[in-house]
Amino acid sequence: MSTHGSGRARVVSIASGKGGVGKTSLAVNLARSLAEAGKRTCLLDADLGLANVDILLGLEPKYTLEDVLFNGLPMERALVQVRERLHVLSGSSGVQRMAVLDRASRARLAGELGKLDGFDYLVVDNSPGITPQIISLCLASQDVVAVTTPDAASVTDAYALLKVLRNNGQVRRPLLLVNRARTLRQATRVHQRMDQTAASHLGLGCSLLGVVPDDADVSRAAAMRTPVLDMAPAAPASRMIKRAAERLLEAGGARSRPGRSPGDFFQDLMVRMQGLADAFGPGKDPRLERVAGKLDELLRRKMDRDLRLGLEELRRILGNGSAPGRGGAERTARDNGSGKAVKKAAPAKDAGTGASPEATPGTGKPVPSPGAKKPSVVLLCCPDPPMLELLEEVVAELGLTAEARPVEELLRGGVKPGPEVAVVCWDGPEADKTRLLRALKDMPVILLEGLRTRPCADPAYLSLASAVLHRPFRLEQLRSLVAEHAASA
């Protein structure tokens, strides 16, 4: 990573009061959009619970910030370049352990952090909740983006996050990003009421950064371990995320604040973490891993009468426009960036609200009517459940029939008559992959490469495939190849 540049970066913390609101997916795609706009961007995965950034980008980083801090690793070896102008730095527990660094370690850290001075943006994906780490990261940043969905539980937790930040010194207006909105009017109401309630009870409102619709392509992109901006750039969610990134890039307005060097940011972070540890730790023990749970409990107890009144008002308002908890009832398992399978409900219709089409869920892709000919059978070989579900959806949308078969069965007994096209997305041992493709030699094979590992250019098996798609690829490319091969089979 080049160190040339102004040395001043814009630090943006992405946070949420609760998990499962799509925070990590938005952080990844916002960073991706900033890089596409020409800004050198570093995405810091500071979620200590789950390395969801790695999952969504299909990465397996060998080193983390913890190796830089405690094992003497140079910073440039911990940075993983995802694409031009976009790097990822996995935080692991290194962020949390900053508060216990001695003077010599801090001096060394300052030198290593100077290697990040070439970035224009540092986007921080926080853990959900209100732990010392999260509060410190947010307060040390230029901008705080609070992510919520329209569901009542998510809104009240987002308000609790704003309350805790305000009580600990937040003076700049946070930015609100409403995710999985069913209509634009619904999301606008959420922001208006949140802003009014926060301004009234906290003395600090919030600005609307953007609205992202409830779009099935986001879950599909997570299954493919790629940003939705890469898989479906024209999807409603992609367009609205780009608009949110454009607002971050705006030079004027209340959100325009001076940048700072990454070194200054981390120094500020360490001071704040130490202060919170001293204030809330038992016996003033500075080791945050021992006091994080206690601090979270104490901060929640600080929700005074004004906060409770504000939460009650938000619940009443949400009860008028969107049934509280409705989103949770519609989904049996909602993707939160972890790559877990989802069962999606039918998109809700906007009953004359006047919302823009971008705020209405749905892919807009017509499902071809089955012709007189019996639908072609597509053999699916994919050991990853979310990706297999996505492939089944693509096949169904094309009016074809899907037949999923496990790898082991195909390797043992070959392929029985019936399927006319095969889609293979397995990234297992290369020898077994070659055996599998040879077992499928009697039909066209579409090979999806790099879903969990880097693409391999071994001609021993690439020559056995009729078509190869390397991650990241667009869903339209996959759909077109399946349709083309099924038609010619």
Side-chain angles (χ1 to χ4, degrees):
M1 177 64 201
S2 173
T3 59
H4 296 295
S6 66
R8 303 183 71 82
R10 184 105 169 255
V11 184
V12 181
S13 276
I14 315 295
S16 63
K18 68 185 295 291
V21 298
K23 169 184 57 61
T24 296
S25 176
L26 291 174
V28 167
N29 283 281
L30 280 173
R32 164 73 177 81
S33 188
L34 291 171
E36 186 179 34
K39 301 299 180 181
R40 294 159 297 181
T41 305
C42 178
L43 176 59
L44 172 61
D45 185 358
D47 189 336
L48 305 187
L50 296 170
N52 285 341
V53 166
D54 301 342
I55 294 173
L56 287 179
L57 290 172
L59 302 176
E60 294 182 3
K62 187 176 181 180
Y63 302 110
T64 71
L65 181 61
E66 190 170 14
D67 294 301
V68 176
L69 299 181
F70 303 100
N71 299 330
L73 185 79
M75 177 66 76
E76 57 269 24
R77 294 188 62 186
L79 286 170
V80 178
Q81 184 168 3
V82 179
R83 64 186 71 250
E84 186 179 6
R85 295 185 296 273
L86 179 59
H87 288 71
V88 171
L89 176 60
S90 180
S92 184
S93 60
V95 174
Q96 193 174 21
R97 294 178 65 186
M98 278 189 197
V100 299
L101 290 177
D102 56 28
R103 181 174 299 179
S105 298
R106 290 191 181 191
R108 180 185 172 278
L109 174 62
E112 291 300 322
L113 292 174
K115 298 176 182 178
L116 299 177
D117 285 351
F119 289 108
D120 300 308
Y121 277 83
L122 178 60
V123 178
V124 182
D125 178 36
N126 286 282
S127 303
I130 51 175
T131 64
Q133 168 203 325
I134 298 165
I135 298 167
S136 301
L137 281 165
C138 291
L139 294 177
S141 305
Q142 276 77 41
D143 291 297
V144 177
V145 178
V147 178
T148 184
T149 67
D151 296 335
S154 177
V155 173
T156 53
D157 282 342
Y159 183 79
L161 172 65
L162 299 187
K163 170 74 172 182
V164 172
L165 289 174
R166 180 60 167 160
N167 284 349
N168 283 275
Q170 178 76 23
V171 295
R172 298 184 294 268
R173 284 173 64 90
L175 308 175
L176 188 68
L177 188 54
V178 183
N179 192 29
R180 296 175 185 157
R182 289 181 285 276
T183 66
L184 180 60
R185 187 172 72 172
Q186 177 196 49
T188 302
R189 283 173 59 86
V190 168
H191 166 250
Q192 289 175 343
R193 298 305 183 182
M194 176 82 81
D195 182 36
Q196 293 170 5
T197 305
S200 173
H201 297 286
L202 307 180
L204 183 69
C206 56
S207 302
L208 182 62
L209 178 64
V211 175
V212 180
D214 194 357
D215 189 342
D217 276 330
V218 175
S219 298
R220 294 177 169 185
M224 294 171 65
R225 294 178 172 84
T226 191
V228 68
L229 269 70
D230 286 331
M231 188 206 73
S238 297
R239 294 199 299 268
M240 299 305 283
I241 290 172
K242 289 178 182 178
R243 290 189 183 181
E246 289 170 0
R247 293 190 178 101
L248 279 177
L249 291 169
E250 290 176 354
R255 292 189 295 275
S256 179
R257 305 181 184 95
R260 65 195 313 193
S261 73
D264 289 342
F265 163 72
F266 281 103
Q267 290 288 352
D268 187 6
L269 172 62
M270 285 187 286
V271 171
R272 292 180 182 277
M273 292 177 72
Q274 182 68 58
L276 285 173
D278 289 343
F280 291 97
K284 297 187 182 300
D285 188 336
R287 287 171 290 186
L288 290 183
E289 58 266 30
R290 291 188 178 182
V291 303
K294 180 66 174 177
L295 176 58
D296 190 73
E297 177 186 350
L298 290 172
L299 290 175
R300 288 190 180 276
R301 288 181 181 178
K302 290 173 64 177
M303 291 184 185
D304 54 17
R305 181 174 177 274
D306 285 346
L307 174 59
R308 293 195 300 272
L309 290 175
L311 297 182
E312 291 171 3
E313 180 182 352
L314 285 170
R315 289 192 184 99
R316 287 197 301 270
I317 293 165
L318 288 170
N320 293 335
S322 61
R326 177 183 174 188
E330 288 180 344
R331 307 178 183 92
T332 57
R334 185 50 153 152
D335 168 69
N336 64 352
S338 65
K340 294 181 179 179
V342 297
K343 181 179 180 180
K344 290 169 283 295
K349 295 182 179 179
D350 184 356
T353 61
S356 67
E358 293 152 330
T360 303
T363 63
K365 304 178 183 71
V367 179
S369 301
K373 179 184 175 182
K374 182 180 179 180
S376 298
V377 178
V378 180
L379 176 66
L380 303 179
C381 182
C382 181
D384 183 33
M387 188 62 191
L388 177 60
E389 182 180 351
L390 172 60
L391 293 176
E392 291 173 339
E393 290 180 1
V394 170
V395 171
E397 287 176 357
L398 293 171
L400 309 175
T401 300
E403 180 182 318
R405 302 277 294 280
V407 176
E408 295 77 11
E409 180 182 335
L410 294 176
L411 290 176
R412 286 196 309 266
V415 182
K416 298 177 182 179
E420 299 168 293
V421 182
V423 179
V424 176
C425 63
W426 178 51
D427 285 317
E430 301 303 328
D432 287 345
K433 183 185 292 185
T434 302
R435 287 177 53 208
L436 175 62
L437 293 177
R438 285 174 177 163
L440 301 173
K441 60 181 174 32
D442 293 331
M443 68 179 69
V445 177
I446 302 171
L447 178 63
L448 310 183
E449 267 283 274
L451 292 171
R452 285 188 291 180
T453 61
R454 290 186 177 182
C456 179
D458 183 358
Y461 71 82
L462 287 180
S463 61
L464 299 174
S466 303
V468 180
L469 280 180
H470 296 287
R471 189 191 68 83
F473 55 83
R474 297 182 179 181
L475 193 60
E476 285 301 328
Q477 293 176 287
L478 174 61
R479 186 181 287 106
S480 176
L481 278 176
V482 174
E484 177 185 344
H485 283 73
S488 60

